[in-house]
Amino acid sequence: MPLDPGLHPDIALSLPRLLNIRLWAKARKPPHAGRSSSERGKPGRSPGLTFRELRAYQAGDEVRHIDWRVTARLGRPYTRLYSEELDQAHWLLLDLSPAMYFGSTLQLKARLGCELAAALIWQGEKQHNTLICHGLIPHHQSQRGSVLPLLESLCHHYQQGLARRALSHSLADTLSGVKLPHGAKLTIITDHRPCESALCQQLQLLSRRHDIHYWQIRDPLEAALPSDGQLPVAIDRPGQHYQGWLDGGHAGFSRRYQQAAEQQLTHGKQQLLPLVQRLYLLDNGQTLQQQWQEGLCHQG
């Protein structure tokens, strides 16, 4: 009888594993991240604040709160006033599409994504958390208080995604159905590939009223080829079938592969930075705990 792949220790995602994340996710906030893994995008609202009103600029107002569009239209400076946000709602969209069920060394990207989702939920345990899973069966769940139901859902939907069945809906479709309340923060955890135009349009609309933190996960094999050996490749799409090899031992081919990977990453970054407040990159070849404690995935 074949072994269930979901039981393999390098693939399995158990509830105790997500519960144990609390031990280090809440111990302390990681130090400020370097630009290699976390970059600031468009200016957002100040953390912990929500928009209250717009009024004419007065002496002593912070320059960073000036609304330049209104100022240009009316010909005099106007300031956006904020109030303390005591209970900011946190909405978390996790991509569990087939592309996330890939990993060349340590783990599947989907498992790292689930662990990251759990860490962020633990960090905001007292907030009103809403989890949306983009997978074979769309899932939407809100929770206040105990985070256990959300962690159970992560395990359940991760297990379902191991079948790697093609989805009939895109990440943009899932995001278009999200109705964010005023002042809510949106976190998206997905692949590192450039966004489709429909997803960029959704992000642009949402970024006008909400802070968006966007997390990308990239596998080491998607960044560079191993220096020795050949890797078999098969592409099987409607009207397109190809089988071949990725030759890491060929210096010229390996260099072109790495250049193409960097160009793809740069293109995705250029797309996203004007649309989100923070853009993060996680390495699927390292554990989440290691990257978290080293400050590589700080929420700033």
Side-chain angles (χ1 to χ4, degrees):
M1 186 175 182
L3 180 66
D4 181 354
L7 298 178
H8 191 282
D10 292 338
I11 295 177
L13 179 67
S14 65
L15 182 59
R17 186 183 183 96
L18 298 186
L19 290 172
N20 287 338
I21 287 176
R22 184 180 189 271
L23 300 177
W24 49 264
K26 297 193 67 173
R28 64 179 179 84
K29 290 187 177 181
H32 190 69
R35 291 185 61 84
S36 61
S37 56
S38 172
E39 301 205 22
R40 290 193 178 275
K42 62 174 291 183
R45 299 178 302 110
S46 298
L49 302 180
T50 188
F51 176 71
R52 190 176 79 237
E53 64 176 303
L54 187 71
R55 65 156 168 76
Y57 177 84
Q58 297 180 7
D61 288 349
E62 293 194 45
V63 175
R64 65 193 178 101
H65 288 164
I66 293 177
D67 191 317
W68 296 107
R69 289 185 180 179
V70 175
T71 296
R73 187 169 69 248
L74 299 181
R76 56 180 297 194
Y78 273 78
T79 303
R80 296 176 67 87
L81 298 183
Y82 296 90
S83 59
E84 290 293 335
E85 200 167 69
L86 300 179
D87 188 18
Q88 183 185 32
H90 180 210
W91 287 57
L92 195 155
L93 173 57
L94 173 62
D95 183 2
L96 291 177
S97 62
M100 289 286 284
Y101 285 85
F102 172 78
S104 64
T105 53
L106 185 65
Q107 60 203 335
L108 298 179
K109 290 189 286 186
R111 191 176 78 170
L112 181 61
C114 286
E115 291 181 353
L116 172 60
L120 296 176
I121 289 171
W122 278 122
Q123 196 177 62
E125 183 179 4
K126 296 182 180 180
Q127 293 177 317
H128 189 164
N129 288 292
T130 299
L131 173 67
I132 306 111
C133 292
H134 170 67
L136 189 63
I137 301 177
H139 176 72
H140 179 288
Q141 181 176 352
S142 295
Q143 188 71 30
R144 184 188 294 272
S146 172
V147 303
L148 182 60
L150 297 180
L151 302 184
E152 291 174 334
S153 292
L154 287 173
C155 294
H156 175 69
H157 289 274
Y158 170 82
Q159 184 73 23
Q160 284 187 330
L162 286 171
R164 289 181 54 85
R165 296 175 185 168
L167 306 186
S168 61
H169 51 287
S170 67
L171 189 62
D173 294 332
T174 298
L175 188 57
S176 67
V178 174
K179 305 301 181 184
L180 292 174
H182 179 75
K185 184 179 81 172
L186 173 64
T187 295
I188 299 176
I189 303 172
T190 184
D191 201 12
H192 76 288
R193 295 171 300 173
C195 296
E196 297 178 351
S197 58
L199 180 57
C200 287
Q201 291 172 5
Q202 288 294 326
L203 293 174
Q204 187 172 30
L205 290 172
L206 289 170
S207 67
R208 297 172 183 172
R209 295 181 176 272
H210 304 279
D211 288 344
I212 302 176
H213 287 201
Y214 199 98
W215 296 76
Q216 297 178 302
I217 300 177
R218 184 167 73 157
D219 191 81
L221 187 57
E222 295 169 324
L225 291 174
S227 58
D228 57 343
Q230 293 181 328
L231 299 174
V233 175
I235 300 176
D236 193 2
R237 299 171 182 165
Q240 184 182 18
H241 180 75
Y242 170 81
Q243 288 184 330
W245 299 88
L246 296 177
D247 189 357
H250 188 288
F253 180 81
S254 183
R255 182 174 62 254
R256 291 193 298 272
Y257 181 97
Q258 187 170 355
Q259 289 174 345
E262 289 306 311
Q263 289 172 0
Q264 182 188 61
L265 191 65
T266 299
H267 175 54
K269 187 185 300 182
Q270 291 171 344
Q271 281 183 313
L272 289 166
L273 282 176
L275 305 175
V276 304
Q277 275 67 51
R278 289 299 293 265
L279 177 63
Y280 305 84
L281 181 65
L282 284 183
D283 181 359
N284 196 46
Q286 299 182 44
T287 67
L288 177 63
Q289 183 177 1
Q290 178 184 357
Q291 296 180 79
W292 188 278
Q293 292 178 339
E294 290 178 354
L296 297 184
C297 49
H298 169 60
Q299 289 193 96

